[in-house]
Amino acid sequence: MKSLVKHHAGPGFQLADVPVPSIRDNEVLIRVRRAGVCGTDVHIYEWDDWARGRCKPPFVVGHEFAGDVAEVGKLVTDVAVGDRVTAEGHIVCGRCLPCRTGNSHVCPNTRIIGVDRDGCFAEYIAMPALNVWHLDDSISFDIGGIHDPMGNAFHTALTAEIPGSVVLITGCGPIGIFAVGICKAAGASRIIASDVNDRRLALAKTMGAHDAVHPDQVEAAVQRATNGMGVDVVLEMSGIPAAIHQAFAMVRLGGRVQMLGIPAKPMDVNFANEVIFKGITIYGVIGRRMYDTWHQMTRFLLSGEFDPTPVITHRFPLEGFEDAMRVIKSGEAGKVIFEIA
Ligand code: NAD
Ligand code: ZN
């Protein structure tokens, strides 16, 4: 089958012909139709410090996808050939303390497709049946293929109290833009979104932000919206230290900061003034809650109140991977997807 492979310990990907994966008894084989391209794939492409420390080539890249089931293992009872599906890309052990207390998203034994084992930038992928998520007939493969990053946004937003809140979203990458639409559908009273990129601010507006502004205009927008009290909730979705400090500065006393963005390196925080004396709550977001986030996402999509379609701005065949990397790095894109079959 055709696939995009991280073939060696160095920059780049290779388009390669590899065998169709064989499945274990508890797995299913999925024919991939759409796959989302993400910042993580760019890290692996560029072979940065994180990728070097984590990944062991050769392996098939990619972790966001949707498709239809082509084959099921002997022990699989609730997934059938022909089912339209996506999947949770974090494969967890099910046995550790977090897994057994409803917190599989922080399983220490997590293996991620396209990072720790073969991924979805290929015509077929093998997945444990437990990770499969069925798509309603009304949900396209395009939308199915971006459930992973959309799930990051759902997890970040819906573990805070959004109804009636004034929400600040710092960073309008694909995940921040999804979050704007989710907060709108969840009943935020006002959504202020910030980014340094005008194209992305325009997308945030399309998805329902009341204010979509540059970082230096955030304080004035928060002042107007809250009479100087500060916002109830911040969703930090940039990972940029200046934005993280701004999140702590803009949240009201007793408010909540949801941290999704990943700073590139350690940073200083004045815990006394930025966190403790303000009495705020910080929540670290990793992946998607299994499977509360998935249920919430499906219900929001089926409600018709949340439509992520405008976030998808670019499509490429697998052969166009160099262009896909380029548009993501340029910042001109919302969500970029591969059309595989
Ligand atoms: P992205 O890098 O495309 O988006 C970040 C955005 O922040 C960019 O649009 C950038 O212009 C903007 N930005 C830069 N400086 C800013 C500032 N001072 N104020 C406001 N915005 C600013 O990334 P994405 O794919 O949307 O992901 C968002 C973040 O979440 C990244 O840091 C990514 O690594 C992280 N992430 C975390 C998880 C998790 O499970 N915790 C999962 C996926 C991604
Ligand atoms: Zn576990």
Side-chain angles (χ1 to χ4, degrees), residues 5-338:
V5 174
K6 183 72 195 175
H7 51 296
H8 77 300
F13 293 151
Q14 204 169 58
L15 202 61
D17 196 25
V18 303
V20 173
S22 48
I23 52 168
R24 295 160 191 258
D25 291 348
N26 64 344
E27 291 184 340
V28 305
L29 185 71
I30 300 166
R31 177 161 183 100
V32 180
R33 303 287 177 187
R34 297 288 183 276
V37 192
C38 150
T40 303
D41 304 316
V42 178
H43 292 301
I44 297 172
Y45 177 86
E46 297 193 320
W47 202 239
D48 65 6
D49 288 343
W50 169 83
R52 235 172 299 179
R54 172 83 182 239
C55 304
K56 296 190 177 48
F59 63 97
V60 177
V61 201
H63 56 274
E64 311 173 354
F65 75 98
D68 36 40
V69 175
E71 191 188 333
V72 303
K74 281 206 264 308
L75 299 175
V76 176
T77 54
D78 58 350
V79 184
V81 170
D83 286 359
R84 301 171 69 260
V85 301
T86 176
E88 167 58 61
H90 289 196
I91 297 168
V92 298
C93 75
R95 304 281 308 162
C96 65
L97 185 148
C99 279
R100 289 188 144 187
T101 53
N103 291 296
S104 289
H105 62 295
V106 285
C107 169
N109 305 310
T110 300
R111 301 192 72 230
I112 304 178
I113 60 170
V115 175
D116 305 311
R117 63 180 250 166
D118 282 335
C120 63
F121 293 164
E123 289 172 291
Y124 293 92
I125 182 171
M127 283 305 292
L130 270 179
N131 284 58
V132 167
W133 189 259
H134 282 99
L135 293 174
D136 186 85
D137 287 342
S138 66
I139 296 177
S140 66
F141 283 135
D142 281 4
I143 303 303
I146 57 173
H147 268 42
D148 169 305
M150 218 160 57
N152 294 141
F154 272 101
H155 180 178
T156 311
L158 298 188
T159 46
E161 196 169 300
I162 299 300
S165 289
V166 178
V167 181
L168 168 63
I169 299 173
T170 51
C172 297
I175 302 178
I177 310 170
F178 289 134
V180 169
I182 295 161
C183 289
K184 186 88 176 178
S189 62
R190 191 158 191 98
I191 302 165
I192 303 164
S194 71
D195 203 292
V196 292
N197 177 322
D198 289 323
R199 245 178 235 260
R200 291 184 155 185
L201 288 175
L203 276 173
K205 264 285 197 220
T206 306
M207 292 299 285
H210 301 89
D211 304 288
V213 297
H214 281 250
D216 61 359
Q217 293 151 19
V218 165
E219 191 172 348
V222 170
Q223 168 75 32
R224 278 194 305 276
T226 67
N227 243 330
M229 290 257 290
V231 302
D232 303 297
V233 179
V234 184
L235 312 184
E236 205 306 297
M237 301 196 140
S238 74
I240 303 296
I244 294 171
H245 289 301
Q246 188 167 54
F248 294 143
M250 291 298 109
V251 72
R252 68 164 163 77
L253 298 171
R256 190 165 165 116
V257 178
Q258 306 286 90
M259 300 195 68
L260 171 100
I262 305 171
K265 51 185 199 333
M267 59 177 276
D268 285 328
V269 175
N270 181 337
F271 276 100
N273 293 335
E274 294 184 278
V275 179
I276 299 165
F277 297 147
K278 291 191 74 170
I280 64 170
T281 302
I282 298 176
Y283 177 76
V285 182
I286 171 82
R288 299 142 296 279
R289 292 191 56 86
M290 296 170 211
Y291 277 80
D292 347 15
T293 301
W294 292 81
H295 280 286
Q296 290 169 327
M297 181 155 50
T298 296
R299 286 172 184 176
F300 270 65
L301 287 169
L302 294 181
S303 76
E305 300 292 318
F306 168 68
D307 176 12
T309 312
V311 183
I312 300 175
T313 56
H314 292 71
R315 304 160 177 274
F316 298 96
L318 272 187
E319 291 80 357
F321 69 91
E322 300 283 6
D323 290 330
M325 293 296 125
R326 187 183 47 73
V327 294
I328 292 181
K329 283 192 272 182
S330 74
E332 65 192 64
K335 193 69 209 171
V336 176
I337 61 173
F338 285 131

